[in-house]
Amino acid sequence: MVEYKDTLLMPKTDFPMRGNLPVNEPKIQAKWEEMDINQLVLERTKGRPEFVLHDGPPYANGDIHIGHALNKIIKDMINRHRSMTGYHVPYIPGWDTHGLPIEHALTKKGVNRKEMSVAEFRKLCEEYAYEQIENQKAQFKRLGVRGDWKNPYVTLTPEFEARQIEVFGRMAEKGYIYKGLKPVYWSPSSESALAEAEIEYKDVKSPSIYVSFEIKDAKGVVPEEAKFIIWTTTPWTIPANLGISVNPEFTYAVVKVDGNLYIIAKELIENVSKEIGWEQVEIVQEVKGQQLEYIVAKHPFYDRDSLVMVGEHVTLDAGTGCVHTAPGHGEDDYIVGKKYGLDVLSPIDDRGCYTSEAPGFEGMFYDDANKVVTEKLKEVGALLKLGFITHSYPHDWRTKKPVIFRATPQWFCSIEPFRDQLLEAIENSTFTPNWGKIRLYNMIRDRGDWCISRQRAWGVPIPVFYAENGEEIITPETIAHVAKLFREHGSNIWFEKEAKELLPEGFTHPGSPNGKFTKEKDIMDVWFDSGSTHQGVLVERGMKYPADLYLEGSDQYRGWFNSSLITSVAINGFAPYKGILSHGFVLDGEGRKMSKSLGNVIAPEQVMKQYGADILRLWVASVDYTGDVRISMDLLKQISEVYRKIRNTLRYLHGNLFDFDPKKDRVPYENLREVDQYMYMRLQEVLKQVRAAYDRYDFSAVYHAINNFVSVELSAFYLDVAKDVVYIEAPTNPARRAMQTVMYDSLLTLLKILTPIIPHTTDELWSYLNEEEVSVQLTDFPEVDERENFKELKEKWGKVMDIRDEVLKALEEARNEKVIGKPLDAKVVVYADDENVFALLNDNKVDFKQITLVSQFVVAGSRKDAPENAIALENTSIVVEKADGGKCERCWSYSETVGQNETHSTLCARCAEIVINHYE
């Protein structure tokens, strides 16, 4: 006697239900490594149009953080998608390796750089950088990021440094590079100049002082005994004061207070009176700012003039409208001072201490001097008010200590000569999100010259020589020679050889009659290193330039996006990228910045140990990365539930295909039943939606479309309906093969479109299929298959699904009333008035019994004929009652045909026939 359960075609698959990703992913990655998957992908796509996403280099120091993971996973999803949709996608990951953090790290490890030569210290820096690269490389690979990990680019390699020298040389040749004494951000804690991108702002408490300046020569414009009042929060800069700036358009008032005459902006009288504590204020005279130009005031405690100048930078936001001007300690001060021929006085050394140019304060640290300078002002009777304010102040992003503006001899890249070209290049680039364009445009429009020199050891030397008379030597000949030396020996040669040995053989210069030369000691800003990657990587390796895409965090509008644009436009006249994509920062679950002190840091390694890389990748796909995003273990738990649903749906699809050979068993579209055509149509719609979302880098739309399709369309509808056919019918039954055809297409489509997001999972399941390709990564996304009847089908089945929803509501109500247990216990009687609804209910192409999972489905008369116990819904009135007949032991549905076959008395007629014809 046959066992009925053995006649059911239940799903069979060896693909595990549990992913166990933390254990299995490394095994999958080892397989990728062994087969050299990146090379196989590139060989497969050779000859296609190239798509280049150029990697912005992370800094080679420490473990990767969750922001790195977000960045690299987004890049990987884009690259994987492009390589499966018609492109050849070489991806070269890279590292930024020069700069202060590595010097600091070695100092922390106990390295004393004063005990060794610069070249020896740099060798240690290089070794340390490579150790860090190997550590980070392993972590990036663990995320499942595919790329040329065997040949990454590293900014300390000889060929990269040679390209960087050439970039510098070409910019110098065009006249964009110059040396000047100019105030720059100076970090006493790092003893180096900093670029704008190396600055972060924090709130600090500073002294707030009002100081009076006597007049030496009033030019007959104001009374000689009047005094100018300035306001500053940096008393330490008073020893460097050389002038007072006023706005030419403002009205200034000479006011009488307690017998003294003071000059301030008329609009600020009320504010200043409140701050200083004036009670009786009388306006004696009013003058335009322009009239005050060239009045000479006296420095409060040095025998020195302080010239009154006019400048548009003076505002009425705070202070007195008379601005203390120290050209050596502020950009606006420098600009206005230069216009009036003032010296650039900066009496502060590299460590932030006063030099002999500030008599009475020599050797004192600038911050400690605030108090001493204020006391000196009080002593000479110039201090009108001392208070304190909390305000935002620039800090060194590495040491977290305050920075100052300090004029030092530095190398600069002049922006003004090609600013219009830069702005035009921005206009010609695409931005995701759109606001990126405005942000970068405004930054370039408003930015000053770029200070590219640093007073450190670990970096690319500035390739400049000096003649005996001090003249700077940067010629195409010297640049080409230094670049050649760097390509052969690396930049350490600069510190190992004398200037003469670094110059071309027989080099002469009129400024060196004795043939003696010296060389520049400064190195380049690390942003010049990473800003040269379009030459050091794209051009050096023969890749597409400009690249299709630069993709980094939104902080890079003032960093890598900015410096790369400047160098590329300077030497070639166009941007190094066709488009920019930026992402936000990763915050904790409550929207707070991650910090060790808050204890809210989530490390990628921690996530991968607990959940696996595919869960982290699925989280990246789920968020709108164009703004700041949130992560927490709770959020990851929710993502892991979505993952489980997707994995188990894929597993279920695969399990139902155990006896399906697409070459032999596939049913042509025109022979599919309508329910299968409808599902196929929905699959094509999702594919179309997903392909468009991938094209615009909208991964959260991909995630939601797939998640919705899997949980609503497949799990809650089609796969549920399929059980009555796929399990029950004979193996070769046309309806069963039709459903398997749609399941097969759904499985392959889902595997392919999920591969950019969860490649470990899709490749694992692929290994259980009998497909030609050894990996799903060696396939393309399916093209959208549009059929003629889709529109009509969509319209019709939209209404069918509305009716189905009404039946499901009625079944739910009946279940609550204990009329039935499961839908198969039910007989549904439907009443309808609308002709279209009635026609649909009687349509022989729609099996309502099957799609509502009930045992009996009866279409009765109009709604007025419905009994009182009918449930009235929008389109129908429905009666749910216990199904007629007995329960079939095999398919579990109720039928009056149960028992009609004597041999198989517990089966319905359908099941009895299947068993007799196929299993006896």
Side-chain angles (χ1 to χ4, degrees):
M1 182 67 182
V2 70
E3 283 273 359
Y4 295 140
K5 66 177 172 54
D6 296 337
T7 70
L8 294 171
L9 299 168
M10 301 303 285
K12 292 189 186 95
T13 176
D14 292 329
F15 179 63
M17 188 184 287
R18 282 175 54 75
N20 200 5
L21 299 177
V23 173
N24 287 331
E25 285 174 343
K27 293 176 189 169
I28 293 165
Q29 290 173 359
K31 194 176 97 179
W32 291 346
E33 191 95 17
E34 194 187 325
M35 71 201 304
D36 197 352
I37 190 68
N38 188 59
Q39 197 49 40
L40 290 178
V41 169
L42 290 173
E43 281 165 17
R44 182 182 87 89
T45 58
K46 204 180 279 175
R48 291 178 171 188
E50 198 170 67
F51 176 86
V52 174
L53 189 165
H54 180 40
D55 193 34
Y59 193 75
N61 190 25
D63 291 326
I64 68 169
H65 54 67
I66 205 79
H68 286 125
L70 175 77
N71 176 269
K72 276 288 195 288
I73 290 169
I74 295 172
K75 288 174 180 172
D76 192 52
M77 293 195 303
I78 290 172
N79 285 333
R80 286 176 180 277
H81 158 247
R82 291 289 187 196
S83 82
M84 293 177 81
T85 51
Y87 292 93
H88 180 64
V89 187
Y91 174 60
I92 314 288
W95 275 274
D96 210 355
T97 48
H98 290 125
L100 199 57
I102 287 179
E103 292 192 34
H104 276 329
L106 288 180
T107 307
K108 273 187 193 165
K109 283 174 80 176
V111 172
N112 185 347
R113 60 179 277 194
K114 296 197 167 92
E115 289 174 359
M116 57 186 78
S117 70
V118 173
E120 286 167 335
F121 178 67
R122 284 169 55 89
K123 276 271 191 291
L124 292 178
C125 288
E126 181 176 334
E127 284 167 24
Y128 179 83
Y130 274 119
E131 279 169 29
Q132 299 302 308
I133 286 171
E134 286 311 308
N135 175 48
Q136 290 188 1
K137 186 194 289 183
Q139 294 175 14
F140 285 135
K141 285 168 80 175
R142 179 64 191 88
L143 294 170
V145 177
R146 193 178 70 203
D148 192 353
W149 294 108
K150 291 175 189 166
N151 305 294
Y153 77 84
V154 179
T155 58
L156 60 72
T157 54
E159 64 276 12
F160 188 96
E161 293 178 327
R163 288 281 183 180
Q164 188 173 331
I165 293 301
E166 288 164 7
V167 171
F168 179 91
R170 284 166 69 187
M171 288 172 75
E173 205 178 333
K174 290 187 172 187
Y176 299 153
I177 303 289
Y178 69 94
K179 194 175 191 178
L181 190 69
K182 191 173 177 185
V184 291
Y185 285 115
W186 184 270
S187 171
S189 53
S190 296
E191 294 186 35
S192 181
L194 298 181
E196 222 166 295
E198 297 168 297
I199 297 298
E200 59 184 30
Y201 285 83
K202 286 190 212 167
D203 282 353
V204 294
K205 188 181 174 191
S206 297
S208 159
I209 61 171
Y210 288 83
V211 180
S212 64
F213 281 60
E214 293 179 0
I215 291 177
K216 177 178 169 183
D217 180 359
K219 307 286 182 194
V221 177
V222 291
E224 292 282 346
E225 66 274 23
K227 297 171 188 175
F228 285 93
I229 301 178
I230 65 94
W231 168 73
T232 182
T233 56
T234 53
W236 64 268
T237 59
I238 294 286
N241 174 280
L242 293 178
I244 295 167
S245 298
V246 296
N247 190 303
E249 300 303 317
F250 295 169
T251 299
Y252 286 81
V254 179
V255 296
K256 191 172 190 177
V257 182
D258 301 331
N260 294 306
L261 296 179
Y262 297 111
I263 302 166
I264 57 173
K266 185 184 176 187
E267 270 192 51
L268 293 170
I269 291 174
E270 197 180 323
N271 283 7
V272 174
S273 302
K274 203 164 122 192
E275 286 291 329
I276 299 178
W278 290 343
E279 285 173 10
Q280 299 287 314
V281 180
E282 181 195 340
I283 296 177
V284 175
Q285 184 187 350
E286 289 183 15
V287 290
K288 268 276 189 227
Q290 187 62 56
Q291 294 170 262
L292 301 172
E293 189 180 25
Y294 296 116
I295 287 177
V296 182
K298 297 180 198 169
H299 190 281
F301 50 73
Y302 289 144
D303 182 17
R304 190 163 76 212
D305 293 348
S306 190
L307 181 68
V308 179
M309 304 167 283
V310 296
E312 301 288 345
H313 66 287
V314 179
T315 68
L316 298 170
D317 295 346
T320 64
C322 305
V323 176
H324 148 56
T325 303
H329 291 295
E331 181 143 23
D332 290 329
D333 306 47
Y334 169 80
I335 293 165
V336 73
K338 197 174 175 187
K339 187 174 141 194
Y340 285 87
L342 298 186
D343 289 339
V344 181
L345 173 63
S346 182
I348 298 278
D349 68 14
D350 292 0
R351 291 171 306 116
C353 297
Y354 282 109
T355 63
S356 58
E357 287 183 295
F361 306 100
E362 298 100 316
M364 197 179 290
F365 187 60
Y366 80 94
D367 200 35
D368 300 335
N370 273 330
K371 190 177 177 188
V372 186
V373 169
T374 305
E375 282 167 358
K376 179 73 176 172
L377 290 168
K378 191 177 177 184
E379 182 192 315
V380 299
L383 183 69
L384 299 178
K385 171 72 192 290
L386 164 65
F388 290 91
I389 63 161
T390 298
H391 63 138
S392 186
Y393 191 81
H395 285 65
D396 182 330
W397 73 335
R398 295 193 182 96
T399 63
K400 309 298 179 193
K401 301 269 177 64
V403 300
I404 58 176
F405 253 109
R406 171 180 177 238
T408 54
Q410 299 289 347
W411 285 96
F412 293 90
C413 164
S414 177
I415 301 297
E416 201 51 51
F418 60 105
R419 193 186 305 274
D420 288 345
Q421 267 182 292
L422 289 166
L423 297 174
E424 190 185 333
I426 294 168
E427 287 289 3
N428 294 335
S429 305
T430 60
F431 288 78
T432 307
N434 291 332
W435 51 256
K437 176 176 275 193
I438 299 158
R439 192 163 176 185
L440 187 57
Y441 189 95
N442 291 349
M443 280 179 170
I444 292 290
R445 184 194 62 198
D446 301 337
R447 75 161 293 158
D449 289 352
W450 174 14
C451 175
I452 57 171
S453 49
R454 296 292 179 273
Q455 293 66 47
R456 307 299 306 175
W458 179 230
V460 177
I462 290 180
V464 174
F465 298 93
Y466 295 95
E468 290 163 31
N469 65 355
E471 196 179 324
E472 297 145 10
I473 301 167
I474 325 173
T475 69
E477 185 192 1
T478 62
I479 289 292
H481 189 69
V482 172
K484 184 168 172 284
L485 288 175
F486 281 18
R487 191 173 274 277
E488 287 167 13
H489 309 284
S491 62
N492 241 16
I493 195 169
W494 187 266
F495 301 93
E496 291 164 343
K497 305 273 186 189
E498 292 302 317
K500 185 82 177 157
E501 300 170 274
L502 297 166
L503 283 160
E505 206 170 319
F507 183 84
T508 59
H509 189 274
S512 288
N514 305 310
K516 289 184 178 169
F517 299 93
T518 53
K519 62 190 174 184
E520 177 58 70
K521 292 191 175 110
D522 285 358
I523 60 166
M524 288 192 220
D525 172 18
V526 289
W527 291 105
F528 203 100
D529 294 21
S530 58
S532 305
T533 58
H534 49 84
Q535 299 301 301
V537 184
L538 301 179
V539 173
E540 176 69 23
R541 300 201 186 193
M543 295 169 76
K544 186 179 182 184
Y545 168 65
D548 290 283
L549 195 64
Y550 273 34
L551 189 169
E552 297 303 324
S554 53
D555 54 337
Q556 295 308 313
Y557 287 104
R558 65 188 190 130
W560 190 55
F561 298 155
N562 205 306
S563 62
S564 300
L565 179 72
I566 290 169
T567 54
S568 183
V569 171
I571 65 172
N572 290 320
F574 54 80
Y577 37 72
K578 290 179 182 174
I580 277 180
L581 190 153
S582 69
H583 59 78
F585 294 97
V586 184
L587 310 172
D588 72 4
E590 292 169 37
R592 298 173 304 174
K593 202 173 170 185
M594 290 194 187
S595 71
K596 282 177 187 164
S597 59
L598 284 174
N600 62 348
V601 174
I602 291 179
E605 194 182 2
Q606 176 192 353
V607 178
M608 288 187 287
K609 273 183 183 159
Q610 188 169 335
Y611 289 110
D614 274 2
I615 302 296
L616 190 58
R617 295 175 68 100
L618 197 57
W619 164 77
V620 171
S622 75
V623 296
D624 175 8
Y625 63 80
T626 57
D628 291 344
V629 298
R630 295 183 180 198
I631 194 170
S632 68
M633 282 308 185
D634 281 349
L635 285 168
L636 287 167
K637 193 172 180 217
Q638 291 167 31
I639 293 290
S640 73
E641 285 302 312
V642 173
Y643 171 82
R644 194 170 58 83
K645 183 73 184 169
I646 291 171
R647 183 183 181 94
N648 287 342
T649 304
L650 294 174
R651 180 175 184 270
Y652 185 76
L653 285 166
H654 182 245
N656 280 305
L657 296 168
F658 70 91
D659 65 343
F660 179 79
D661 178 349
K663 291 189 182 78
K664 292 198 314 238
D665 304 324
R666 184 177 191 89
V667 177
Y669 177 79
E670 47 282 1
N671 295 352
L672 295 176
R673 299 175 308 155
E674 258 195 22
V675 65
D676 308 315
Q677 288 190 347
Y678 169 68
M679 206 58 217
Y680 185 78
M681 178 208 71
R682 284 297 301 123
L683 176 67
Q684 297 312 310
E685 283 187 337
V686 168
L687 176 59
K688 189 176 184 178
Q689 206 179 334
V690 162
R691 286 192 66 135
Y694 268 124
D695 283 343
R696 63 177 189 270
Y697 311 127
D698 186 353
F699 306 113
S700 66
V702 172
Y703 167 86
H704 289 295
I706 294 175
N707 186 20
N708 187 62
F709 181 68
V710 164
S711 52
V712 178
E713 315 254 4
L714 285 176
S715 296
F717 170 58
Y718 194 67
L719 300 183
D720 219 7
V721 169
K723 289 171 187 168
D724 184 54
V725 178
V726 180
Y727 296 2
I728 309 296
E729 295 293 353
T732 57
N733 175 282
R736 185 169 183 273
R737 290 301 192 210
M739 286 197 125
Q740 285 181 309
T741 299
V742 175
M743 285 181 177
Y744 173 79
D745 285 347
S746 298
L747 176 62
L748 258 69
T749 299
L750 285 171
L751 283 177
K752 290 174 181 181
I753 64 179
L754 278 166
T755 291
I757 299 172
I758 48 170
H760 305 90
T761 303
T762 55
D763 232 357
E764 181 194 357
L765 178 45
W766 191 265
S767 69
Y768 290 90
L769 304 181
N770 296 315
E771 298 298 318
E772 284 172 33
E773 301 86 356
V774 291
S775 163
V776 67
Q777 299 176 62
L778 301 171
T779 67
D780 281 330
F781 275 21
E783 293 295 333
V784 178
D785 180 18
E786 300 267 9
R787 299 287 178 148
E788 274 180 36
N789 70 336
F790 274 5
K791 193 179 174 197
E792 181 191 324
L793 204 58
K794 186 174 185 175
E795 208 171 298
K796 177 178 174 179
W797 274 79
K799 290 169 185 161
V800 168
M801 296 304 271
D802 288 344
I803 295 171
R804 177 178 177 266
D805 285 344
E806 293 195 359
V807 174
L808 296 185
K809 272 181 202 160
L811 289 169
E812 184 63 32
E813 210 164 304
R815 189 186 294 120
N816 293 339
E817 298 290 331
K818 304 281 188 288
V819 174
I820 57 164
K822 295 192 290 289
L824 275 176
D825 299 344
K827 172 184 180 180
V828 169
V829 183
V830 184
Y831 298 84
D833 290 335
D834 186 285
E835 275 178 39
N836 296 326
V837 173
F838 210 78
L840 266 185
L841 288 165
N842 287 293
D843 190 324
N844 61 7
K845 289 182 178 174
V846 183
D847 187 343
F848 276 101
K849 177 169 88 72
Q850 200 172 72
I851 68 169
T852 56
L853 308 170
V854 295
S855 286
Q856 286 127 28
F857 191 93
V858 179
V859 181
S862 71
R863 296 179 78 167
K864 66 176 185 309
D865 302 331
E868 277 183 28
N869 65 338
I871 300 160
L873 294 146
E874 193 181 334
N875 297 298
T876 59
S877 293
I878 298 172
V879 176
V880 178
E881 51 196 46
K882 200 93 174 93
D884 302 329
K887 183 178 181 180
C888 173
E889 190 187 332
R890 185 171 177 269
C891 70
W892 293 5
S893 62
Y894 286 80
S895 170
E896 290 177 335
T897 64
V898 172
Q900 284 179 0
N901 186 299
E902 287 176 21
T903 317
H904 301 287
S905 59
T906 57
L907 300 189
C908 66
R910 174 175 75 142
C911 286
E913 189 188 342
I914 292 166
V915 170
I916 292 163
N917 292 335
H918 296 276
Y919 298 101
E920 283 188 350

